[in-house]
């Protein structure tokens, strides 16, 4: 890409996450500040393939920084997985003269952007927008903090009722195959056990620990389970009831509640910083990277690397869980 970029476009793709609107706002306003035309693409790659693209103004993003969801809407698009679909997407960008694309989403969105930029002459910048926090190379993903805070509020409430009835609650949180929402919300609510996909769960160990708690009459227990782990909440509750019939067990699956709501201050801030940086990347010719924040500084990680590497959970986190949850 040698031509000067004068028009850029932004889309949100995959599962929505609180703070996506703040990121869109930052992209639009930074682009306009630098004299660029900024275009919004509706429903992620689906809108790109269909040509559902419109010009945005500063006022298009007024009054959205505090709103969850995404004003550009989002989708998971099968056609973009095909070469023909991506060709249509490219033609639609070329028709308008758009010279750079900013894609806000998770690892699937990054895979799409990486493939697209490798096949066509269109620089892509990724912004990590996912509640799952499953992208390596950034301390934050847009939406994770809000999702965790939502989970924490819910778990605190469940502990009140668990305590009143001497019950055990198995609470399932989202995260696909990442355990970060479970880990953070579980530690922050003093959960007695946290099960995450990154560590294989040993059912005998879980039962032994619960039986030991029974012996010392500790009947109020919170177990936080990540949805992608060895056991789902319903399955685990059945095993507990079979093994310890005297323990009352209830299940709560928090589900999509974790995806909605007003973004926290942290999510609004990181989204604003990342959106601003994405535009700067395009102007400075730093192409086909995603914008991350590491140790409070902006980092630019090649999309190619991002799609290969998953965030891992350090052993220290797991040790903390074990020590604190006795
Ligand atoms: O990636 C975000 C996420 O909310 C995951 O935590 C979850 O597994 C998935 O999306 C749910 O997807 P859908 O909204 O399509 O049911």
């Amino acid at each position: 890409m040698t031509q000067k970029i004068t028009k850029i476009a932004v889309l949100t793709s995959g599962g929505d996450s609180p703070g996506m609107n703040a990121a869109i706002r930052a992209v639009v306003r930074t682009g306009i500040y630098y004299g660029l035309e900024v275009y919004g693409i509706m429903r992620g790659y689906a809108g790109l393939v269909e040509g559902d693209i419109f010009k945005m103004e500063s006022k298009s993003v007024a009054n959205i920084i505090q709103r969850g969801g995404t004003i550009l809407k989002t989708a998971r698009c099968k056609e973009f997985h095909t070469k023909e679909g991506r060709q249509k997407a490219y033609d639609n960008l070329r028709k308008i003269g758009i010279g750079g694309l900013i894609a806000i989403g998770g690892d699937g969105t990054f895979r799409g952007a990486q493939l697209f930029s490798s096949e066509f002459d269109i620089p892509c910048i990724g912004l990590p927008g996912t509640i799952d926090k499953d992208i390596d190379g950034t301390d934050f993903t847009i939406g994770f903090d809000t999702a965790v805070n939502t989970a924490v509020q819910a778990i605190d409430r469940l502990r009140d009722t668990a305590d009143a009835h001497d019950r055990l609650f198995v609470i399932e949180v989202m995260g696909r195959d990442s355990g970060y929402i479970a880990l953070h919300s579980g530690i922050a609510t003093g959960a007695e056990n946290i099960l995450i996909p990154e560590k294989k769960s040993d059912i005998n160990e879980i039962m032994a620990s619960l039986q030991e708690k029974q012996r010392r009459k500790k009947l109020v227990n919170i177990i936080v389970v990540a949805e992608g782990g060895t056991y789902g909440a319903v399955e685990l509750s059945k095993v507990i009831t079979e093994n310890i019939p005297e323990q009352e067990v209830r299940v709560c699956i928090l589900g999509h509640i974790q995806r909605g709501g007003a973004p926290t201050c942290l999510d609004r801030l990181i989204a604003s910083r990342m959106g601003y940086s994405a535009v700067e990347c395009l102007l400075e010719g730093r192409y086909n990277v995603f914008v991350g924040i590491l140790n409070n500084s902006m980092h630019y990680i090649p999309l190619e690397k991002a799609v290969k590497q998953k965030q891992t959970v350090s052993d220290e986190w797991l040790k903390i869980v074990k020590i604190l949850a006795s």
Side-chain angles (χ1 to χ4, degrees):
M1 184 92 204
T2 45
Q3 257 181 330
K4 192 170 170 270
I5 294 176
T6 57
K7 297 179 184 183
I8 62 170
V10 57
L11 60 78
T12 48
S13 167
D16 63 311
S17 65
M20 280 183 162
N21 279 328
I24 296 166
R25 173 179 177 270
V27 167
V28 171
R29 296 223 163 138
T30 309
I32 291 171
Y33 171 82
Y34 283 118
L36 303 174
E37 280 185 22
V38 185
Y39 289 80
I41 299 168
M42 296 303 293
R43 292 171 293 108
Y45 295 123
L48 186 55
V49 171
E50 291 159 22
D52 196 353
I53 304 172
F54 69 104
K55 187 157 176 270
M56 298 183 85
E57 308 295 344
S58 189
K59 67 174 185 307
S60 321
V61 291
N63 197 22
I64 65 166
I65 195 168
Q66 76 284 15
R67 282 166 53 192
T70 158
I71 59 161
L72 294 178
K73 298 194 181 282
T74 183
R76 296 189 168 107
C77 173
K78 286 210 176 85
E79 212 183 337
F80 198 70
H81 288 282
T82 66
K83 183 78 195 264
E84 296 73 38
R86 292 191 294 279
Q87 180 68 56
K88 277 193 208 164
Y90 178 67
D91 293 344
N92 286 329
L93 291 177
R94 284 305 295 263
K95 242 182 271 165
I96 305 173
I98 292 167
L101 176 67
I102 297 171
I104 310 169
D107 54 354
T109 304
F110 284 8
R111 268 194 297 279
Q114 199 274 323
L115 194 56
F116 194 45
S117 61
S118 69
E119 288 173 341
F120 298 98
D121 182 23
I122 180 85
C124 293
I125 307 295
L127 292 189
T130 167
I131 64 164
D132 300 341
K133 194 174 133 63
D134 55 353
I135 293 171
D136 196 39
T138 180
D139 290 337
F140 307 104
T141 61
I142 299 164
F144 173 74
D145 187 60
T146 308
V148 167
N149 275 289
T150 302
V152 164
Q153 282 178 19
I155 298 168
D156 283 347
R157 290 191 164 107
L158 291 169
R159 189 180 277 285
D160 287 346
T161 176
D163 187 60
H165 287 264
D166 281 340
R167 279 176 177 161
L168 182 154
F169 265 84
V170 184
I171 303 161
E172 189 173 299
V173 296
M174 272 190 169
R176 205 181 290 276
D177 49 6
S178 158
Y180 269 100
I181 297 180
L183 202 55
H184 284 223
S185 63
I187 291 174
T189 53
E192 277 69 20
N193 208 337
I194 304 169
L195 309 190
I196 57 171
E198 291 83 349
K199 188 178 183 285
K200 203 171 177 323
S201 305
D202 180 341
I203 199 73
N204 295 326
E205 207 178 288
I206 297 168
M207 290 310 134
S209 143
L210 286 174
Q211 271 149 354
E212 186 273 325
K213 287 189 176 102
Q214 274 277 326
R215 276 193 289 279
R216 55 181 164 97
K217 300 268 175 283
K218 184 179 188 322
L219 303 175
V220 183
N221 282 294
I222 298 289
I223 301 182
V224 178
V225 178
E227 64 177 354
T230 323
Y231 298 95
V234 174
E235 199 186 351
L236 182 63
S237 78
K238 280 190 189 139
V239 180
I240 297 171
T241 307
E242 274 162 25
N243 284 274
I244 317 172
E246 59 278 28
Q247 170 77 70
E248 259 204 283
V249 184
R250 292 289 184 275
V251 170
C252 183
I253 298 173
L254 296 185
H256 289 78
I257 285 171
Q258 295 157 98
R259 285 240 297 261
T264 58
C265 174
L266 179 67
D267 275 330
R268 296 179 202 195
L269 281 177
I270 60 162
S272 300
R273 290 174 71 191
M274 288 175 174
Y276 158 85
S277 285
V279 177
E280 294 240 308
C281 279
L282 285 176
L283 292 174
E284 288 164 5
R286 196 180 278 133
Y287 295 160
N288 309 327
V289 296
F290 88 84
V291 178
I293 299 179
L294 275 177
N295 302 323
N296 206 26
S297 315
M298 307 317 289
H299 274 251
Y300 310 99
I301 299 99
L303 283 171
E304 206 183 353
K305 196 170 161 205
V307 298
K308 287 190 188 136
Q309 220 155 307
K310 271 229 160 277
Q311 180 127 314
T312 53
V313 173
S314 83
D315 288 345
E316 193 159 34
W317 276 109
L318 301 172
K319 190 173 169 191
I320 291 173
V321 171
K322 203 159 189 164
I323 293 173
L324 301 189
S326 61

